[in-house]
Amino acid sequence: MKFSALMRSNIEWMRGEAKSVALCSRIRLARNIKNAPFPGWAKKADRERIYNEIQPALTRLPEMENAIINDPMDRFTQTQRQILVEQHLISREHASKSSGSGLAVNKNKTISIMVNEEDHLRIQVFRSGSSLKPLWKLIDKIDDELDRLLDFAFHPEIGYLTACPSNVGTGMRASVMMHLPGLVISEQIGQIIKAANKIGLAVRGLYGEGTEALGNLFQISNQMTLGDSELNIIERLNKVIDQVVEHENNARIRLLQEKPRLLADQIGRAYGIMLHAYSISSKEALNLISLLRLGMDLNFFPDTISHELDELFIRTQPGHLQMDLERKLSSEERDAMRADLLRSHLQKCPPPNFPIAI
């Protein structure tokens, strides 16, 4: 296992263009081995047998050459598991797995494959920005390669068989992580969520299902996987993503025109707190970073800080803060370290340059 290499490498899928509302995209495929019990029903010996069948196939994938991780889950410490969740390389559920479960991650962390999570295989690919079509080409290629090496559970009428009925069919979940502070501040986000739900899309928080939308970050994804093709699902999702981007940009324009002082106050306060605070919680840090990114998008800050702000969304999380320490930190210690980290990074950022009209 090369966990130190994982920590040294950049989070490539979070390094998108400055002033982008759509930060990153992900496609996930659920696949299972034919005639084998699903992980939730399998005994330990079955899970270990399935893992030993799948792991060599992952090694043979050209896309996983020089993988930085291809290991069973019981080799990871609790802190390492937390970091993997924070970098979206595994689910919170997979972080609790042990014998018979595993993980493979490629060199630049744009491909992550979980073994024996809810399904035998959860194949994930990531890319910055709104990039679902290129991601589909990549994951479709990986799926074809694995299909030649493994015998997947497939029904000719309904498609791929999965542990959860909601994934039956294509087994695909496509999602885009979006930064929507304009819609949140203008109190329009509720309307967007309702509209998305009505057309069969899900809107979730930073870490997916059941999580809060911290830092004004929302994941928008398909819910339907049965009875349609992957490309049709992606096409519909892309249209909605484009509409949400337009709504967010319009909300920002209206705020600038109608409530410039409110914007300046929130962004200025965020800058001041991050520059001078000595204790900041994880939740508060995400919301403050979000406001600074909004300020950068509105040209109050130089866009040279874009990548740094995007990575701070991840680097300020609990697991990342205590990775290099030999003991578990208390929440108070983490809050202090987080504040120190933000202050040090903000030294490179000049004060916000608000328009004279404010």
Side-chain angles (χ1 to χ4, degrees):
M1 181 173 63
K2 306 172 185 176
F3 206 87
S4 59
L6 180 138
M7 291 301 296
R8 288 194 303 270
S9 61
N10 292 321
I11 306 171
E12 291 299 326
W13 52 266
M14 282 292 287
R15 297 178 69 84
E17 296 180 4
K19 299 180 174 61
S20 175
V21 172
L23 297 185
C24 58
S25 303
R26 181 193 74 157
I27 295 180
R28 186 209 73 200
L29 293 180
R31 297 289 185 262
N32 288 282
I33 303 301
K34 186 177 180 180
N35 297 327
F38 294 129
W41 289 268
K43 295 180 180 180
K44 179 181 177 182
D46 291 323
R47 292 196 305 272
E48 291 178 342
R49 174 180 57 79
I50 293 165
Y51 174 77
N52 290 333
E53 180 181 350
I54 290 174
Q55 200 268 348
L58 302 184
T59 303
R60 292 173 62 183
L61 287 174
E63 293 81 6
M64 301 304 287
E65 186 178 3
N66 300 318
I68 51 178
I69 289 175
N70 191 2
D71 298 276
M73 288 303 296
D74 51 15
R75 291 190 184 177
F76 298 98
T77 67
Q78 286 303 118
T79 298
Q80 289 172 342
R81 292 167 189 242
Q82 178 67 26
I83 288 169
L84 292 168
V85 171
E86 291 168 2
Q87 294 198 14
H88 297 261
L89 298 173
I90 64 172
S91 63
R92 293 176 300 167
E93 293 74 19
H94 203 55
S96 64
K97 302 290 185 178
S98 56
S99 180
S101 295
L103 174 68
V105 180
N106 72 331
K107 189 174 182 180
N108 61 0
K109 296 187 286 191
T110 55
I111 302 172
S112 167
I113 303 177
M114 294 179 280
V115 182
N116 280 334
E117 192 233 29
E118 183 178 64
D119 295 286
H120 297 144
L121 276 167
R122 286 286 178 97
I123 310 160
Q124 303 183 107
V125 291
F126 309 87
R127 188 166 173 170
S128 62
S130 182
S131 312
L132 291 176
K133 286 187 177 179
L135 279 183
W136 169 246
K137 290 182 181 179
L138 171 61
I139 202 167
D140 189 36
K141 182 173 181 289
I142 294 171
D143 186 36
D144 287 345
E145 290 164 350
L146 287 174
D147 195 27
R148 286 192 289 270
L149 299 169
L150 302 167
D151 192 6
F152 288 150
F154 183 84
H155 190 282
E157 294 181 4
I158 61 176
Y160 290 99
L161 306 181
T162 57
C164 180
S166 65
N167 290 321
V168 169
T170 64
M172 184 185 78
R173 282 283 188 273
S175 66
V176 177
M177 181 83 74
M178 309 196 73
H179 183 227
L180 305 175
L183 291 170
V184 172
I185 294 171
S186 60
E187 299 180 347
Q188 299 178 63
I189 192 65
Q191 301 170 28
I192 297 295
I193 293 174
K194 287 180 182 178
N197 290 338
K198 284 182 179 178
I199 59 174
L201 299 181
V203 183
R204 300 186 171 102
L206 179 60
Y207 292 108
E209 187 172 359
T211 63
E212 189 177 355
L214 300 171
N216 301 312
L217 296 172
F218 297 82
Q219 292 187 47
I220 301 181
S221 65
N222 68 296
Q223 294 194 83
M224 184 182 70
T225 64
L226 181 64
D228 207 347
S229 72
E230 294 89 348
L231 285 175
N232 283 343
I233 293 170
I234 288 172
E235 189 65 35
R236 282 197 300 273
L237 182 55
N238 271 333
K239 289 179 181 178
V240 173
I241 296 302
D242 290 342
Q243 291 174 356
V244 174
V245 169
E246 183 178 356
H247 285 306
E248 171 64 20
N249 287 329
N250 288 338
R252 296 180 185 189
I253 291 170
R254 285 195 297 272
L255 286 169
L256 276 172
Q257 293 173 343
E258 300 170 10
K259 298 182 179 180
R261 189 168 291 272
L262 170 66
L263 267 184
D265 181 68
Q266 292 205 19
I267 294 168
R269 284 175 184 266
Y271 178 83
I273 291 170
M274 289 173 65
L275 191 61
H276 298 289
Y278 284 81
S279 180
I280 297 179
S281 70
S282 176
K283 180 176 180 178
E284 183 183 15
L286 288 172
N287 292 329
L288 294 173
I289 295 166
S290 168
L291 286 168
L292 257 67
R293 198 184 198 284
L294 174 61
M296 181 205 68
D297 291 347
L298 298 175
N299 297 317
F300 298 162
F301 299 104
D303 59 16
T304 53
I305 65 170
S306 172
H307 292 163
E308 192 160 20
L309 289 177
D310 287 346
E311 291 213 0
L312 281 174
F313 277 124
I314 305 296
R315 302 293 184 190
T316 54
Q317 296 306 294
H320 283 78
L321 288 174
Q322 60 185 44
M323 177 59 201
D324 295 329
L325 301 177
E326 296 180 357
R327 63 183 178 86
K328 185 176 178 63
L329 295 173
S330 67
S331 60
E332 291 81 5
E333 290 173 314
R334 289 198 303 269
D335 291 351
M337 282 188 67
R338 186 178 295 109
D340 293 345
L341 175 67
L342 291 173
R343 282 201 321 279
S344 67
H345 280 269
L346 215 59
Q347 299 298 327
K348 308 170 187 176
C349 179
N353 180 24
F354 298 122
I356 297 175
I358 291 178

